């Protein structure tokens, strides 16, 4: 069964590595062991570019996705391809889960990832900050912005209650 693996390559050589890998697969007759080889990229408008042209920009420079079986011949072909540094995961690479590959393919199509998780935050409830500059602090929720998944939390800094804006993922109840 073919699964998706991430390989690290020299940044800037992704297209060359892909072409070389496709050539090697054909030469060694391993077409059945490989599926798609992707260089994750998306059409993006450059911020300081005056034109409205969309340019292809890589999402993960220096990384490629390879759909393949985990048989030794296929793994060896990838590892010995020039400018391939390694499989992500080292000697025993772990394939991407279907949700991870769906997220990357969605980014390539230009989909916006929306969280479908229901939050369970309430104003005036205590939360622990688990990420960011205030990690380890405890605060009281002052306001909830569900659309942007942000909380305003009142934190005691030097004895004064100070509002701090945090993402939903930065706190736990």
């Amino acid at each position: 069964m073919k699964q998706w693996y991430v390989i690290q390559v020299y940044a800037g050589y992704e297209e060359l590595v892909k072409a070389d890998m496709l050539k090697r697969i054909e030469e060694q007759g391993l077409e059945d062991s490989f599926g798609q080889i992707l260089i994750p990229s998306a059409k993006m408008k450059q911020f300081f570019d005056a034109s409205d042209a969309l340019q292809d920009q890589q999402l993960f420079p220096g990384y490629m996705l390879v759909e393949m079986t985990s048989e030794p011949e296929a793994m060896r072909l990838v590892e010995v391809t020039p400018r391939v540094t390694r499989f992500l995961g080292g000697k025993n690479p772990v394939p991407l889960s279907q949700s991870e590959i769906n997220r990357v393919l969605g980014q390539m199509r230009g989909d916006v990832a929306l969280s479908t998780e229901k939050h369970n935050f309430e104003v005036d409830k205590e939360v622990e900050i688990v990420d960011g500059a205030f990690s380890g602090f405890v605060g009281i929720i002052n306001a909830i912005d569900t659309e942007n998944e942000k909380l305003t939390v009142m934190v005691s800094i030097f004895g004064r209650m100070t509002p701090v804006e945090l993402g939903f993922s930065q706190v736990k109840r």
Side-chain angles (χ1 to χ4, degrees):
M1 186 172 105
K2 294 178 187 157
Q3 295 180 298
W4 288 95
Y5 292 89
V6 179
I7 59 170
Q8 186 176 14
V9 300
Y10 292 175
Y13 290 93
E14 294 87 355
E15 291 291 342
L16 193 62
V17 170
K18 179 179 178 179
D20 194 23
M21 200 176 293
L22 290 170
K23 183 177 147 202
R24 286 168 175 265
I25 292 167
E26 190 178 323
E27 286 172 353
Q28 295 186 22
L30 291 172
E31 291 92 344
D32 293 342
S33 299
F34 287 88
Q36 300 177 65
I37 299 174
L38 295 178
I39 302 167
S41 61
K43 297 274 187 210
M44 296 184 187
K45 181 170 178 8
Q46 296 301 314
F47 191 69
F48 292 108
D49 190 357
S51 72
D52 285 335
L54 295 175
Q55 296 178 354
D56 221 19
Q57 184 172 342
Q58 288 188 18
L59 297 173
F60 312 109
Y63 293 93
M64 293 172 53
L65 301 175
V66 180
E67 185 182 25
M68 58 184 277
T69 61
S70 61
E71 55 194 41
E73 303 84 34
M75 298 293 241
R76 196 167 19 264
L77 182 138
V78 172
E79 289 171 338
V80 301
T81 300
R83 298 182 183 89
V84 170
T85 309
R86 64 186 175 104
F87 276 98
L88 220 56
K91 292 186 188 292
N92 301 318
V94 179
L96 293 175
S97 68
Q98 193 56 49
S99 64
E100 290 171 317
I101 200 67
N102 289 344
R103 190 173 66 235
V104 171
L105 294 173
Q107 284 179 309
M108 290 175 68
R109 287 191 305 268
D111 296 350
V112 176
L114 296 174
S115 174
T116 56
E117 294 177 20
K118 178 97 173 95
H119 74 82
N120 58 349
F121 298 113
E122 295 177 41
V123 174
D124 293 330
K125 295 291 181 180
E126 193 173 89
V127 291
E128 180 184 349
I129 303 171
V130 294
D131 185 34
F134 298 98
S135 181
F137 280 71
V138 174
I140 307 290
I141 298 175
N142 192 41
I144 303 169
D145 179 0
T146 52
E147 188 175 313
N148 295 313
E149 294 189 356
K150 299 275 185 196
L151 298 171
T152 302
V153 178
M154 298 302 284
V155 179
S156 176
I157 301 174
F158 300 119
R160 299 182 73 180
M161 294 305 277
T162 308
V164 176
E165 189 174 279
L166 301 164
F168 282 4
S169 63
Q170 292 181 286
V171 299
K172 78 174 186 188
R173 289 197 66 174

